[in-house]
């Protein structure tokens, strides 16, 4: 396309309009979406709890989709903590009743 044609299109302003969305209309409006996203981001609730507290008559899947539309929400699996070794557990059980003997001990994260 020649440069003159491109200049003419841009100088007239935007002649293109947003296309009408085909398909089923959304069940929630922007205000409902914000309410769902706010509940999901500020409170630690499960999706069914979020569904009940929002007061909207929508499905759990819709609640989940609306809360995921906000890109700041990240869902990931929690890593399991490794089990303590039996020797460490035995040592801890033997030394748990030391009481005041632990006062002079200095705990530090520094490794020497």
């Amino acid at each position: 396309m020649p440069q003159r044609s491109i200049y003419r299109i841009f100088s007239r302003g935007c002649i293109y309009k947003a296309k009408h969305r085909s398909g089923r209309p959304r069940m929630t409006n922007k205000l409902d979406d914000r309410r769902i996203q706010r509940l999901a981001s500020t409170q630690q609730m499960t999706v069914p709890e979020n569904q009940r507290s929002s007061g909207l008559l929508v499905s759990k899947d819709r609640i989940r989709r609306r809360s995921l539309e906000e890109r700041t929400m990240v869902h990931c699996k929690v890593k399991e903590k490794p089990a303590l070794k039996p020797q460490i557990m035995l040592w801890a059980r033997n030394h748990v009743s030391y009481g005041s003997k632990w006062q002079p001990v200095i705990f530090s994260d520094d490794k020497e």
Side-chain angles (χ1 to χ4, degrees):
M1 187 174 237
Q3 188 175 4
R4 181 96 175 127
S5 301
I6 295 172
Y7 174 77
R8 212 176 4 199
I9 290 172
F10 285 125
S11 64
R12 286 188 211 149
C14 183
I15 59 173
Y16 301 105
K17 294 184 180 178
K19 231 180 173 181
H20 179 70
R21 291 178 62 139
S22 63
R24 184 177 179 175
R26 290 175 72 108
M27 297 295 293
T28 56
N29 56 20
K30 290 184 179 183
L31 182 66
D32 294 337
D33 293 344
R34 278 198 307 264
R35 186 183 313 151
I36 291 169
Q37 290 170 352
R38 191 178 307 121
L39 281 172
S41 65
T42 59
Q43 300 174 2
Q44 292 183 352
M45 294 181 161
T46 60
V47 172
E49 290 171 348
N50 197 342
Q51 179 188 19
R52 279 183 246 121
S53 66
S54 69
L56 300 171
L57 298 173
V58 292
S59 67
K60 289 180 265 186
D61 291 329
R62 191 170 311 279
I63 298 281
R64 186 177 291 113
R65 281 194 302 268
R66 293 300 181 261
S67 61
L68 288 174
E69 279 179 1
E70 183 182 2
R71 297 293 181 191
T72 59
M73 297 288 294
V74 178
H75 295 275
C76 60
K77 291 185 177 180
V78 177
K79 293 181 182 177
E80 291 184 20
K81 293 181 180 178
L84 292 176
K85 295 180 181 177
Q87 300 91 1
I88 296 173
M89 287 295 292
L90 182 63
W91 182 89
R93 285 193 186 112
N94 290 338
H95 292 83
V96 76
S97 62
Y98 266 32
S100 62
K101 294 180 185 175
W102 285 112
Q103 295 299 328
V105 178
I106 297 174
F107 290 98
S108 174
D109 290 342
D110 297 334
K111 292 183 179 180
E112 294 179 14

